[in-house]
Amino acid sequence: MSGAPSLAQRFAARSDGAKLLIPYLMAGAEDSWLESIEAVIEAGADAVEVGLPFSDPIIDGPTIEDAGNRSLARGTTAHDVLAALGTRSWGAPLVVMTYYNVIAHMGHERFAGMATDAGVSGAIIPDLSLEEIGPWAETADDRGIATVMLVAPSTSPERTVRICDRSRGFVYAVARMGVTGERAEIGDEASAVVDKVAAATSLPACVGIGVSNAEQARQVSRVADGVVVGSALVRRLAEGAGPEGAAAFVASLRQAIDA
Amino acid sequence: MTMMGDPGPTGRFGEFGGRFVPEPLMPACVELEQAFREAWSDQTFVDEYRRLLVEFGGRPTPITPCRRLSEELGVTLLLKREDLAHTGSHKINNVVGQALLTKRMGKPKMIAETGAGQHGVASATAAALMGLECTVYMGEVDTQRQQLNVFRMELLGATVHPVTSGSRTLKDAVNEAMRTWVSEVDDTHYCLGSVMGPHPFPWMVREFQRVIGVEAREQMEAGGHGEPDLVVACVGGGSNAAGIFSGFVDTDARLVGVEAAGGAAIMTGSPGVLHGMRSQLIQDDEGQITEAHSISAGLDYPGIGPEHAHLADSGRATYEKAGDIEVLEALQLLSSREGIIPALETAHALAWVVREAGGQIPHGSTVLVNLSGRGDKDVAQVRDILRGES
Ligand SMILES: Cc1ncc(COP(=O)(O)O)c(C=O)c1O
């Protein structure tokens, strides 16, 4: 079942200046992961990043890696996740986030087909670089799956232009040089990355990696078009927050961003 | 591309190789490729590298004919003695090159992953020589299997960081080193230990190991041994094999890489993407990477360097496997017949030769085995196994 709005539709609906809020959670890490997705959408998420677990997540810190391992230990497969997503209709676009081997192993066509059938709007594949993305990007474009690309503090302006050209839906602005995980300070690298992206594209620049709480989300939303919050939510779910706890946290982020 | 030449800017070996890393690391990979390309065509750098390999590394390593074993097996068996290089294995060739390059790039720190501890010890050694700060990532399981090597690295001034994620072995040590590299890339070089990872590592590490093949080719001729019919090496990531193969890829010699039966990426794996490269990997039906298991920590890697995947595809090299029991037997055989205790990794190559002499290896063949490392690090483990079993 689909019916979820595309990233472009959803983001256009918000072009009133409101900032985008995109929580991340790991599929299959808890029994109630589908309910958690629904709950965070209810609580004001503009899109949800759904992690498909991979055994060797090199851009993830311990919180998300542990969630992925928990999910794998519970027998989660990409196939099952996509099938499960397809059983509901979603009030906001879903973006799957996984490592390339999961997709390559299933096959581009098959993965994109299943994702489309499941109502998935986009994909983030952090280890699929601009240089290697060609064949997947073609399939994804054909199928209407928006492949969101990353721009990092280390990315040159010239390269940023090429990455933004190839990105769909939005551009993921990596807030700092490091892996996913909560941090005491958000730092000021993020706004420089956003500036680079803004100079290169009209796509929204959403800042992720390290945004840990409502105050940081507020700070980031002042400079960016949107905020991605991962580990801070994944940790709460791991600690047993459940869909209600997830909703409460995301509502607090929403409030901080909109204030 | 000529066989085992420059893979060019895309770092492709046929359909394998490439650069599959998160964007924060892409600029570092490009910078490293440029730095290596420049250094490798700069005679001053190459001379310095060669001088260090001689003065510090103990090169050239000799070729030793195995008189007793040759007679027993009915083949002419020769060993390229990388066990006699400083730190006891071929790993020194690579780390001296990368540490020099780290200096040249103006970076004060080096990180490395290690399985058996050999690459970690070699990295710590080169870092000490060059005055670089060094941190080595090692799976917790391996720190227990190889406690003496942990202490060696500490003696050499390195910090050993036990990795507690995943299977707590080599692949997780690589994950952790890559994660650290992302956040410290400004002042840190990642000294990868084998012909794997994103471009330019598979090419660069092979070039730093090429010295094995170049020397061996000259020594075979100079020693009157003629051209080998077979060149055999054990394969974890594949650096010692790549080094010796590169000296004979343009001859008629059959090139054979021997993997651990429990980690045989070419024989039991399928194409996939891990640690920045497309190669042959051991993975399950869902594309999740599975753990490799063998008696030797240094071969417990679920992948293989992309150039080997290509050499296998093209048919220029073949890949075989050896199991733990025959490996232990081969280790004992070489020790008692030739007075050389090989590393457990290396014993995989020997085990295949022992098994196939008179079979896949016709009697009378000249067989050159890369004796990649000495067995001192494994003696306690081998003693425990042999005492437990016999
Ligand atoms: C003695 C020895 N040989 C071989 C290997 C495997 O590495 P490679 O396949 O890169 O030569 C190791 C790795 O630790 C080793 O210590």
Side-chain angles (χ1 to χ4, degrees):
Chain A
M1 213 147 88
S2 71
S6 74
L7 287 168
Q9 284 164 347
R10 177 66 178 223
F11 295 172
R14 282 209 151 258
S15 61
D16 51 357
K19 298 303 170 81
L20 303 167
L21 174 59
I22 309 176
Y24 167 101
L25 51 78
M26 177 63 74
E30 295 86 23
D31 277 334
S32 55
W33 65 277
L34 284 165
E35 286 73 34
S36 292
I37 298 176
E38 268 172 357
V40 299
I41 293 174
E42 277 293 300
D46 293 295
V48 181
E49 249 186 69
V50 180
L52 306 182
F54 179 53
S55 52
D56 295 84
I58 55 168
I59 194 71
D60 285 308
T63 307
I64 291 180
E65 180 178 28
D66 288 351
N69 287 339
R70 238 176 18 253
S71 180
L72 288 174
R74 290 159 47 89
T76 306
T77 67
H79 184 278
D80 295 345
V81 169
L82 294 174
L85 291 175
T87 61
R88 306 193 178 195
S89 61
W90 304 98
L94 303 182
V95 180
V96 293
M97 137 88 211
T98 193
Y99 290 83
Y100 181 52
N101 200 48
V102 172
I103 293 175
H105 201 77
M106 198 188 268
H108 293 170
E109 280 296 338
R110 187 154 163 255
F111 186 91
M114 276 205 77
T116 314
D117 291 348
V120 166
S121 311
I124 303 177
I125 315 161
D127 61 340
L128 193 54
S129 60
L130 181 64
E131 283 69 11
E132 306 289 354
I133 204 167
W136 159 258
E138 217 168 284
T139 305
D141 281 354
D142 282 352
R143 294 283 192 156
I145 303 266
T147 305
V148 176
M149 307 274 297
L150 274 58
V151 171
S154 55
T155 310
S156 70
E158 176 275 327
R159 187 173 167 83
T160 301
V161 171
R162 289 190 289 131
I163 290 176
C164 291
D165 260 8
R166 182 54 263 168
S167 198
R168 303 284 183 270
F170 64 96
V171 176
Y172 195 121
V174 176
R176 62 185 160 77
M177 295 296 283
V179 294
T180 58
E182 294 174 77
R183 290 291 188 287
E185 301 277 322
I186 188 69
D188 45 17
E189 274 176 311
S191 69
V193 180
V194 171
D195 288 346
K196 261 190 312 199
V197 173
T201 181
S202 56
L203 288 173
C206 298
V207 169
I209 298 202
V211 185
S212 310
N213 55 43
E215 173 49 26
Q216 291 179 3
R218 190 193 64 77
Q219 282 173 32
V220 166
S221 70
R222 294 304 176 261
V223 295
D225 302 309
V227 186
V228 181
V229 178
S231 297
L233 175 60
V234 170
R235 174 175 58 78
R236 283 173 170 79
L237 287 167
E239 289 167 359
E244 306 83 60
F249 178 57
V250 169
S252 74
L253 298 173
R254 180 83 264 168
Q255 224 180 3
I257 292 174
D258 290 346
Chain B
M1 178 180 98
T2 54
M3 273 291 180
M4 304 196 86
D6 182 340
T10 60
R12 292 270 165 188
F13 305 95
E15 63 168 291
F16 300 105
R19 196 178 264 155
F20 295 83
V21 293
E23 178 57 24
L25 284 180
M26 283 301 289
C29 291
V30 173
E31 176 202 24
L32 181 61
E33 181 194 345
Q34 280 166 357
F36 174 66
R37 220 171 256 292
E38 279 168 31
W40 211 226
S41 57
D42 174 355
Q43 200 54 43
T44 320
F45 179 90
V46 174
D47 287 347
E48 174 76 347
Y49 163 74
R50 293 204 178 127
R51 183 182 66 80
L52 285 173
L53 286 187
V54 171
E55 292 178 359
F56 183 71
R59 304 207 72 87
T61 61
I63 279 184
T64 301
C66 294
R67 308 209 190 278
R68 295 180 65 199
L69 256 186
S70 291
E71 199 165 310
E72 267 179 57
L73 298 174
V75 301
T76 302
L77 178 62
L78 300 131
L79 307 176
K80 175 63 175 163
R81 299 291 305 281
E82 292 303 294
D83 60 320
L84 294 177
H86 184 37
T87 70
S89 84
H90 67 290
K91 300 282 179 188
I92 196 75
N93 307 326
N94 173 36
V95 295
V96 163
Q98 289 202 48
L100 262 182
L101 196 58
T102 305
K103 275 269 186 201
R104 189 180 161 104
M105 290 188 294
K107 298 190 173 189
K109 291 198 267 182
M110 212 164 78
I111 55 173
E113 85 296 340
T114 196
Q118 290 302 94
H119 175 59
V121 167
S123 298
T125 300
L129 174 73
M130 248 51 107
L132 298 166
E133 204 179 297
C134 180
T135 304
V136 179
Y137 293 82
M138 187 171 190
E140 197 181 39
V141 171
D142 293 332
T143 60
Q144 283 151 12
R145 285 201 276 195
Q146 298 285 349
Q147 290 175 15
L148 270 181
N149 269 343
V150 172
F151 185 63
R152 274 189 192 104
M153 290 183 256
E154 288 167 355
L155 268 183
L156 291 159
T159 306
V160 178
H161 187 110
V163 175
T164 55
S165 60
S167 59
R168 291 174 292 139
T169 59
L170 182 54
K171 94 176 164 73
D172 307 283
V174 176
N175 290 341
E176 209 54 37
M178 287 211 164
R179 290 180 182 129
T180 306
W181 199 31
V182 178
S183 48
E184 298 179 6
V185 68
D186 271 352
D187 64 350
T188 304
H189 172 64
Y190 179 15
C191 180
L192 238 166
S194 193
V195 286
M196 41 164 285
H199 181 51
F201 286 105
W203 167 52
M204 177 176 74
V205 176
R206 181 248 283 156
E207 287 303 294
F208 286 142
Q209 294 292 1
R210 179 182 285 279
V211 60
I212 305 173
V214 171
E215 273 178 22
R217 178 103 176 240
E218 284 168 15
Q219 290 165 325
M220 289 294 284
E221 278 169 31
H225 306 296
E227 252 185 29
D229 299 305
L230 284 94
V231 177
V232 186
C234 70
V235 176
S239 67
N240 87 85
I244 198 156
F245 287 0
S246 66
F248 297 92
V249 71
D250 60 345
T251 71
D252 292 333
R254 182 179 167 197
L255 309 177
V256 182
V258 185
E259 297 187 89
I266 298 245
M267 288 199 69
T268 58
S270 54
V273 171
L274 176 71
H275 294 153
M277 63 183 174
R278 185 199 302 278
S279 191
Q280 295 285 352
L281 309 174
I282 306 178
Q283 51 188 330
D284 69 13
D285 294 342
E286 303 296 327
Q288 306 294 343
I289 309 306
T290 39
E291 289 168 37
H293 288 291
S294 84
I295 195 171
S296 63
L299 301 189
D300 279 5
Y301 184 66
I304 187 169
E307 188 162 40
H308 288 293
H310 176 57
L311 287 168
D313 251 14
S314 69
R316 180 60 193 96
T318 47
Y319 295 82
E320 305 281 345
K321 51 189 181 181
D324 290 352
I325 294 171
E326 57 185 338
V327 165
L328 274 172
E329 286 167 2
L331 180 142
Q332 293 168 267
L333 194 64
L334 193 73
S335 303
S336 62
R337 297 298 194 281
E338 300 292 340
I340 298 168
I341 304 177
L344 278 169
E345 289 80 10
T346 315
H348 285 73
L350 295 163
W352 182 79
V353 172
V354 170
R355 189 208 315 144
E356 294 300 337
Q360 281 193 51
I361 309 173
H363 282 305
S365 303
T366 298
V367 182
L368 174 64
V369 170
N370 196 19
L371 203 84
S372 59
R374 65 178 182 226
D376 303 43
K377 69 183 172 61
D378 301 316
V379 167
Q381 186 193 350
V382 170
R383 177 198 58 195
D384 292 349
I385 296 171
L386 294 179
R387 285 204 180 146
E389 278 179 6
S390 55

